[in-house]
Amino acid sequence: GAGVSQSPSNKVTEKGKDVELRCDPISGHTALYWYRQRLGQGLEFLIYFQGNSAPDKSGLPSDRFSAERTGESVSTLTIQRTQQEDSAVYLCASSPSGPRKETQYFGPGTRLLVL
Amino acid sequence: DQQVKQNSPSLSVQEGRISILNCDYTNSMFDYFLWYKKYPAEGPTFLISISSIKDKNEDGRFTVFLNKSAKHLSLHIVPSQPGDSAVYFCAASDTSGTYKYIFGTGTRLKVLA
């Protein structure tokens, strides 16, 4: 079946511009996660959505970052007034409800370059 | 402060030999550990996990060992195959964060034919 998809796959933007990244989770998955991977670093948790519960935004690095999710479908991660330090691969993952911790399915990521 | 560390950024192993990837952690509250494998231009895929109540978990060619006293885990791949060439991430979670994983920086494994 279809996996997690993300768009765009690559994005180059100028410093100060806003960008919007999209994630389409696997159908039926109630949980959705955003991560960031900077060059040479591990995956950094950004935000977590679970069903209709309030999202856990504790990983967002600044108020320039925001994310939304409509029900149990698409999510968008928005970065306002981008900075060069925002350059990274942004990964989205989804998982079905349940206690199994390993069932996170990742998308291919969006590679963001801020000039 | 890196709570999960993979100190070897890269590793080369001959096909058929054993690959050993290491991971160290600092948080004694971590109780669940996972390994993910990542090919270029793809998202990470789950490989194997281990709970802190165990010291070993095996799945085919892949075995994960956990040494809680040393706060160390390792992934063994035997025998290594060229298709195993990828970046391997270890991740850890504690009981209070069933969805928040702390990832290491990854080790790039290259299996030579």
Side-chain angles (χ1 to χ4, degrees):
Chain A
V4 177
S5 60
Q6 291 186 246
S7 60
S9 54
N10 292 280
K11 176 73 177 178
V12 180
T13 190
E14 293 179 348
K15 178 181 171 181
K17 295 286 181 72
D18 297 352
V19 296
E20 191 172 276
L21 312 180
R22 178 187 170 109
C23 172
D24 285 88
I26 293 172
S27 177
H29 281 193
T30 60
L32 187 147
Y33 318 76
W34 282 98
Y35 292 87
R36 173 171 76 174
Q37 185 184 14
R38 289 166 157 170
L39 190 64
Q41 299 189 18
L43 280 68
E44 176 187 357
F45 168 80
L46 297 178
I47 189 169
Y48 162 70
F49 295 90
Q50 173 62 62
N52 294 319
S53 302
D56 180 342
K57 304 179 182 180
S58 61
L60 295 179
S62 78
D63 58 8
R64 296 186 295 104
F65 287 72
S66 62
E68 291 185 353
R69 187 183 186 193
T70 307
E72 294 182 357
S73 61
V74 171
S75 174
T76 55
L77 176 69
T78 301
I79 309 173
Q80 295 178 310
R81 305 179 302 282
T82 53
Q83 303 293 313
Q84 289 180 333
E85 69 212 39
D86 300 333
S87 297
V89 177
Y90 289 82
L91 288 157
C92 174
S94 70
S95 68
S97 59
R100 293 184 66 209
K101 295 183 181 182
E102 67 270 27
T103 50
Q104 285 194 11
Y105 298 86
F106 282 84
T110 293
R111 188 176 298 275
L112 175 66
L113 178 61
V114 181
L115 301 176
Chain B
D1 179 29
Q2 195 74 22
Q3 294 188 65
V4 177
K5 300 177 184 178
Q6 293 178 257
N7 292 317
S8 297
S10 64
L11 174 69
S12 291
V13 172
Q14 205 67 34
E15 181 180 7
R17 298 290 190 107
I18 183 171
S19 295
I20 300 176
L21 297 100
N22 293 304
C23 180
D24 296 288
Y25 60 96
T26 58
N27 189 343
S28 58
M29 297 301 293
F30 287 150
D31 70 336
Y32 200 82
F33 306 88
L34 307 93
W35 284 93
Y36 279 82
K37 174 171 151 178
K38 185 181 185 300
Y39 292 117
E42 295 183 13
T45 55
F46 168 74
L47 193 58
I48 193 169
S49 63
I50 188 167
S51 165
S52 61
I53 61 173
K54 294 185 175 182
D55 54 19
K56 177 183 174 181
N57 189 26
E58 193 171 349
D59 184 1
R61 297 185 297 113
F62 302 90
T63 303
V64 56
F65 294 92
L66 176 62
N67 182 334
K68 290 184 287 295
S69 61
K71 296 191 181 70
H72 176 83
L73 66 155
S74 60
L75 174 68
H76 293 211
I77 307 173
V78 183
S80 302
Q81 299 174 353
D84 296 330
S85 297
V87 177
Y88 290 78
F89 291 96
C90 67
S93 177
D94 63 33
T95 53
S96 66
T98 55
Y99 53 84
K100 280 185 192 174
Y101 298 103
I102 308 297
F103 283 81
T105 53
T107 296
R108 183 177 301 277
L109 173 66
K110 187 171 183 179
V111 180
L112 306 169

